[in-house]
């Protein structure tokens, strides 16, 4: 349940960055000096030219990241039913820092000088469309899977009746034990596509999400197998058929 704090921080921080990038993209304003200093510290030359649609791509990804955080915050508050499990203080602090760093990572993929000249309709590319469609598809499935998990602890009327663990069925649970983790990976892959596919820095973020979610999924998969003797043997831990 303390993951809720992560999404509160993400909604506030990434929403703040989104506003500044929007103003720079569409209103022609300069980014604050401290953001430009952050760019410089991270090795991004503020005078470098904007090749292609870097500003618009970053703006779109930052919007997707913010929407993802808003949805996850809403699910933590109104959908999920949490057990009495605890989180390590180190993991908690890292989680808070992660959602600050990931938004800053998006912002640092573009030059701080404002690019003018192209209309919005011209800036939309094929990888933006594919990335957003994949993002929506993965987000819908993640929400469905989280709802399935929550309903295992609720009665038909929606009242919480148990905090025990049960075997989930339906949607992507028919293929893997942790489809919500797999959907999380797909969401970050969709953002990599939206950035233009070639962004090495964001693919490093994707690799982090892959290893992080895979580890959690394997531990959860092993828990299911040990706890339920009739657990479906065809299910994989994280990625279908892998």
């Amino acid at each position: 349940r303390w993951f809720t704090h992560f999404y509160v921080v993400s909604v506030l921080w990434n929403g703040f960055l989104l506003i500044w990038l929007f103003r720079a993209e569409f209103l022609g304003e300069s980014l604050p000096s401290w953001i430009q200093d952050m760019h410089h510290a991270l090795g991004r030359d503020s005078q470098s030219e904007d090749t292609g649609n870097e500003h618009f791509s970053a703006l779109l990804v930052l919007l997707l990241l913010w929407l993802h955080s808003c949805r996850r915050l809403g699910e933590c508050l109104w959908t999920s039913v949490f057990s009495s499990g605890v989180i390590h203080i180190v993991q908690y602090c890292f989680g808070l820092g992660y959602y600050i760093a990931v938004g800053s990572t998006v912002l640092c993929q573009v030059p701080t000088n404002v690019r003018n000249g192209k209309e919005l309709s011209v800036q939309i590319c094929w990888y933006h469309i594919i990335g957003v469609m994949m993002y929506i598809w993965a987000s819908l499935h993640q929400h469905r899977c989280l709802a399935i998990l929550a309903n295992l602890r609720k009665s038909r009327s929606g009242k919480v009746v148990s905090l025990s663990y049960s075997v989930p069925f339906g949607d992507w649970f028919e293929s893997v034990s942790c489809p919500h983790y797999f959907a999380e990976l797909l969401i970050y892959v969709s953002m990599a596509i939206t950035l233009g596919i070639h962004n090495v820095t964001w693919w490093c973020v994707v690799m982090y999400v892959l290893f992080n979610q895979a580890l959690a999924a394997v531990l959860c998969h092993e828990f299911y197998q040990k706890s339920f003797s009739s657990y479906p043997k065809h299910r994989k831990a994280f990625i279908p058929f892998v």
Side-chain angles (χ1 to χ4, degrees), residues 29-201:
E29 298 183 10
S30 298
L31 294 173
S33 58
W34 63 268
I35 291 183
Q36 298 188 38
D37 291 340
M38 180 176 65
H39 273 68
H40 181 72
L42 294 175
R44 182 70 182 195
D45 183 5
S46 62
Q47 301 302 317
S48 61
E49 295 183 359
D50 183 6
T51 58
N53 297 319
E54 286 182 322
H55 271 89
F56 180 70
S57 297
L59 179 67
L60 189 54
V61 169
L62 201 53
L63 175 61
L64 296 180
L65 182 63
W66 181 75
L67 290 174
H68 175 62
S69 301
C70 289
R71 178 179 61 81
R72 291 293 296 118
L73 176 60
E75 289 166 344
C76 286
L77 294 175
W78 298 299
T79 301
S80 299
V81 180
F82 298 103
S83 65
S84 57
V86 296
I87 185 174
H88 196 282
I89 184 63
V90 174
Q91 185 184 9
Y92 178 75
C93 293
F94 180 84
L96 293 176
Y98 169 78
Y99 282 100
I100 293 176
V102 74
S104 304
T105 299
V106 177
L107 192 64
C108 287
Q109 300 313 299
V110 297
T112 53
N113 59 306
V114 179
R115 173 185 55 76
N116 296 311
K118 287 189 176 181
E119 297 295 332
L120 179 61
S121 58
V122 178
Q123 293 175 353
I124 298 177
C125 298
W126 62 269
Y127 50 81
H128 295 147
I129 298 174
I130 293 177
V132 170
M133 290 178 63
M134 182 176 179
Y135 170 88
I136 295 173
W137 174 64
S139 297
L140 287 173
H141 279 285
Q142 186 177 57
H143 177 74
R144 289 174 186 170
C145 292
L146 290 171
I148 289 173
L149 287 176
N151 288 334
L152 292 175
R153 295 175 171 178
K154 297 178 182 179
S155 64
R156 291 186 176 182
S157 63
K159 182 180 179 180
V160 177
V161 295
S162 173
L163 294 181
S164 61
Y165 291 91
S166 304
V167 179
F169 292 92
D171 205 75
W172 286 356
F173 278 109
E174 300 303 321
S175 300
V176 293
S177 295
C178 300
H180 47 307
Y181 295 158
F182 178 54
E184 185 82 2
L185 174 63
L186 293 181
I187 287 171
Y188 278 84
V189 170
S190 72
M191 294 180 189
I193 295 174
T194 306
L195 275 175
I197 303 178
H198 62 276
N199 192 292
V200 176
T201 302

